[in-house]
Amino acid sequence: MDFTAKRVLVTAGANGIGLAIANKFRELGAAVFVTDIDPDAVEKARVNGLLAAVSDVSDEDQVRGLMNTVREEMGGLDVLVNNAGIAGPTGPLESLDAAAWKATFDVNIHGQFFCIKQALPLLREGTGASIVNLSSAAGRLGMAGRSAYSASKWAVVGLTKTLAIELGPDGIRVNAICPGAVNGPRIDAVIAAKARMLGLPADEVSALYNNQSSLGRLIEAEDIANMAVFVASDMARNVNGQALAVDGNTEKLY
Ligand code: NAD
């Protein structure tokens, strides 16, 4: 895979899975721009050689400004990776706070809407552009106690499948990646919240999460990065409108 001369934007790309995706594209020759709400992480990404800017995907004005910066700094855009997504609240539905529910949708699905809408003029200028949206195993299965997150990630799949039809005639492919539980600080926080909800010790819930996958282990950020570069590459030129699981085969979520 060769991304020389390709320009890539990764949202929430200064930490976690997004940073792994950004670094993988860079290894393969792309010019890579990351955006994040965490100014320290953005500064660190810049020091490490990525193009980077602070912006919040849930604010359309900021996203519009971001795309202007992307145009100024990279001259255009070939691949948009909509990676930004928050875990949202944990608990039975009747315990959930409306503001936390709405915030989950603001980032996880409205953020993808704003980024795609504002990036499309740039993506249409090139040939063979690609959009990669981060969904989740929770966008394929139900997940008790995580209704806001799961509903928002199912919405990502609906958006992906619809846009694949709308944009296919223009040669723009749209796919989603559905990671299983990924090793890292975020899943540790999700496990801790789930343990509190169930009244179980965190290590017991952690074992449940490890064994969600038929392979009995967590997914690594690099596994998601590998799928992102594959699906954005010409090797996947006829892969469109798919929700691609990278979850070791997960059939039930805890
Ligand atoms: P994370 O919680 O580690 O966050 C990564 C970055 O997102 C942080 O740097 C944070 O500052 C940034 N961010 C948060 N809100 C933002 C906003 N409004 N605008 C811009 N940046 C923002 O996330 P992660 O674990 O790396 O997950 C990345 C994506 O993968 C998300 O969409 C997530 O839902 C999805 N996912 C993660 C897992 C997992 O187990 N970690 C599993 C399935 C799917």
Side-chain angles (χ1 to χ4, degrees):
M1 273 179 272
D2 180 12
F3 282 92
T4 312
K6 296 285 184 193
R7 296 143 311 173
V8 179
L9 170 63
V10 184
T11 68
N15 278 313
I17 295 170
L19 182 58
I21 293 172
N23 284 333
K24 185 66 72 177
F25 274 108
R26 196 155 68 123
E27 273 170 35
L28 296 171
V32 183
F33 197 110
V34 298
T35 186
D36 204 288
I37 49 168
D38 177 346
D40 294 341
V42 164
E43 189 46 39
K44 203 166 157 199
R46 232 185 245 130
V47 167
N48 288 329
L50 291 160
L51 299 165
V54 174
S55 77
D56 181 341
V57 298
S58 68
D59 178 333
E60 189 171 15
D61 286 339
Q62 290 190 35
V63 172
R64 193 178 290 112
L66 168 69
M67 295 308 165
N68 289 335
T69 309
V70 164
R71 184 188 285 285
E72 282 163 21
E73 297 205 13
M74 295 201 294
L77 188 65
D78 302 290
V79 178
L80 168 65
V81 182
N82 274 317
N83 168 72
I86 59 172
T90 296
L93 185 125
E94 63 269 36
S95 75
L96 300 184
D97 173 55
W101 175 281
K102 284 180 182 159
T104 311
F105 278 76
D106 280 343
V107 179
N108 294 9
I109 186 67
H110 303 156
Q112 294 198 358
F113 163 61
F114 296 143
C115 288
I116 294 168
K117 185 177 163 195
Q118 298 300 334
L120 270 174
L122 291 166
L123 294 169
R124 285 188 199 281
E125 286 169 8
T127 50
S130 177
I131 299 171
V132 182
N133 296 328
L134 267 288
S135 176
S136 169
R140 228 170 30 77
L141 301 166
M143 192 175 192
R146 302 292 308 287
S147 50
Y149 182 73
S150 182
S152 72
K153 291 298 187 178
W154 278 76
V156 169
V157 175
L159 179 70
T160 301
K161 289 193 173 286
T162 300
L163 289 180
I165 299 168
E166 284 185 19
L167 300 176
D170 301 332
I172 300 174
R173 295 183 300 111
V174 191
N175 289 286
I177 301 176
C178 299
V182 175
N183 204 2
R186 171 178 169 142
I187 208 68
D188 293 343
V190 166
I191 287 168
K194 199 58 174 285
R196 281 194 297 276
M197 174 185 152
L198 297 173
L200 291 172
D203 54 354
E204 217 171 286
V205 178
S206 180
L208 287 174
Y209 269 65
N210 275 273
N211 288 309
Q212 280 174 172
S213 155
S214 300
L215 296 173
R217 60 180 181 233
L218 296 178
I219 307 305
E220 299 298 328
E222 193 187 3
D223 300 321
I224 310 308
N226 287 338
M227 178 59 92
V229 293
F230 168 70
V231 79
S233 77
D234 290 342
M235 289 177 77
R237 66 187 178 195
N238 284 319
V239 180
N240 193 23
Q242 301 305 303
L244 302 156
V246 181
D247 63 7
N249 186 47
T250 296
E251 296 191 324
K252 179 171 170 37
L253 292 172
Y254 291 96

